[in-house]
Amino acid sequence: MATTKNFSVDRETEQAVRSILEQVANDGDAAVRRYTSEFDRVDLTDFRLDETKIQEAFDQADPNLVDSLKLMATRLVEWHEQELPSDIELVEADVTRRQRFVPVDSVGIYVPGGAASYPSTVLMNAIPAKVAGVERVVMVTPVTGLSTEVLVAAKIAGVTEIYTIGGAQAVAALTFGTESIQAVDLIVGPGNRFVAEAKRQVYGIVGIDSVAGPSEVVVIADETAHPDRIAADLLAQAEHDRDAVAIAFVPTEAMKADVDANIERRLQQLPRQEIARRAMENGGVFIASLDEAIKEANRLAAEHLELAVANPQDVVKLIRHAGMIFLGHETPETLGDYVAGTNHVLPTSGTARFASGLSARTFLRHQTMLEATREGVARLANAAKTVARVEGLEAHAQAIEVREN
């Protein structure tokens, strides 16, 4: 059966990133400048982007793009507002237990650069942070990949603090702070293997959303599925990068042949044909019964799972592990990537077995509070002292007794 690639880090990358983190922690802005010059071939004096550049990009942007991103933003706000949890209060036996949810103070969003432009990444990461109530939302993106589209998305999301740096050095600056960049509490957003490894290494000093691996999709199809749609949806993932994983389980040899033929036909029309063709080698189309496909999907725990079946509401009850599930023939994964209103930042590399996608809750911490009366302490004292003394912690027991007398 199919397998997905587990995200792993080679030792060379690990060591290179560790060196970058140490240099930025020690030398601050000077180290960031050195690495930006070395990797991006750009000599920067000021890292922060002037806010007038953001407004200029917005004013000059294609109105259709602006409207599309505004629609996307509106739907994301509506969704993430529904995710906000309620505080808890439980009063019993003269002891009051409370829990409240508070946002982190500051968040750094990493937006990839390179050949492509990702305004959707800005919205998907910034909007749930804003909805959660984060006061300071910072964006870093390589100066070589800075685009009008990304700046328009930043404007719509209300992000004005933008630094034109990328790579592991940007993660380091957000983690440790430099002379010109104040450190943050949480770092989110995708990046290349150096960015992912940097996030892994700084976790514990700051929070992170996840260590993102290659994009993945698994399609479970039955006899009612459309081979051309399956092919299109597989390639929608495969065109991301050469390490992407696209897998389909179909019921018959005839459907497999049909899907394969449609993949080849569509590949020849794609601008990113070579990338998609290489990625398709990581997965492919496999023949499986519905029961077998469900079992494999749960084992793979893919980032995206499409149920191209006649009865998706029944099948979804059997799915335990998936980052996000798309039900029915009319629900392509691409819809979730952009304007459905749900978040497309999802667990990869099988981590959907224990992790969830980005949400407003990602940016919240819960704080638990306890308030007791004298009667409440007295009612619970014996049990507390008994357990404390069993554990050999006499001072714990005495901290109860001093309130009994």
Side-chain angles (χ1 to χ4, degrees), residues 271-334:
R272 296 166 67 89
Q273 176 184 158
E274 294 308 314
I275 291 174
R277 190 178 294 279
R278 175 63 184 84
M280 285 306 303
E281 296 174 6
N282 302 325
V285 183
F286 301 87
I287 301 170
S289 69
L290 187 58
D291 287 344
E292 290 172 334
I294 292 169
K295 182 179 179 180
E296 280 295 291
N298 279 325
R299 182 182 69 82
L300 294 168
E303 178 186 17
H304 309 101
L305 175 63
E306 290 190 7
L307 302 180
V309 297
N311 56 338
Q313 296 292 348
D314 293 333
V315 174
V316 76
K317 296 174 184 177
L318 304 174
I319 301 299
R320 291 181 53 79
H321 307 308
M324 185 171 176
I325 307 172
F326 302 80
L327 279 66
H329 302 305
E330 308 302 327
T331 316
E333 184 275 327
T334 298

Side-chain angles (χ1 to χ4, degrees), residues 196-250:
E197 173 60 9
K199 287 171 66 179
R200 186 185 72 82
Q201 290 191 28
V202 301
Y203 176 65
I205 303 173
V206 293
I208 64 170
D209 52 349
S210 65
V211 179
S215 189
E216 309 156 346
V217 68
V218 170
V219 179
I220 295 178
D222 66 8
E223 293 80 0
T224 66
H226 306 267
D228 192 33
R229 296 184 184 184
I230 295 173
D233 291 355
L234 293 177
L235 291 175
Q237 289 305 303
E239 72 175 352
H240 273 291
D241 62 67
R242 290 175 173 82
D243 293 326
V245 179
I247 295 169
F249 296 109
V250 300

Side-chain angles (χ1 to χ4, degrees), residues 1 21 73 99 107 122 141 156-157 191 197 268 270 282 387-388 398:
M1 276 296 179
L21 296 177
Q99 192 172 83
V107 169
V122 179
T141 189
I156 291 171
E197 173 60 9
Q268 296 176 16
L270 288 180
N282 302 325
V387 176
Q398 291 181 13

Side-chain angles (χ1 to χ4, degrees), residues 30 59 67 126 165 201 213 218 259 263 300 309 338 357:
D59 294 339
D67 289 344
I165 57 174
Q201 290 191 28
V218 170
V259 174
I263 288 173
L300 294 168
V309 297
Y338 297 118

Side-chain angles (χ1 to χ4, degrees), residues 72 109-112 118-126 153 189-190 344-345:
M72 183 176 168
I109 297 172
Y110 191 96
V111 178
Y118 299 102
S120 63
T121 297
V122 179
L123 298 184
M124 291 285 175
N125 286 275
H344 76 203
V345 182

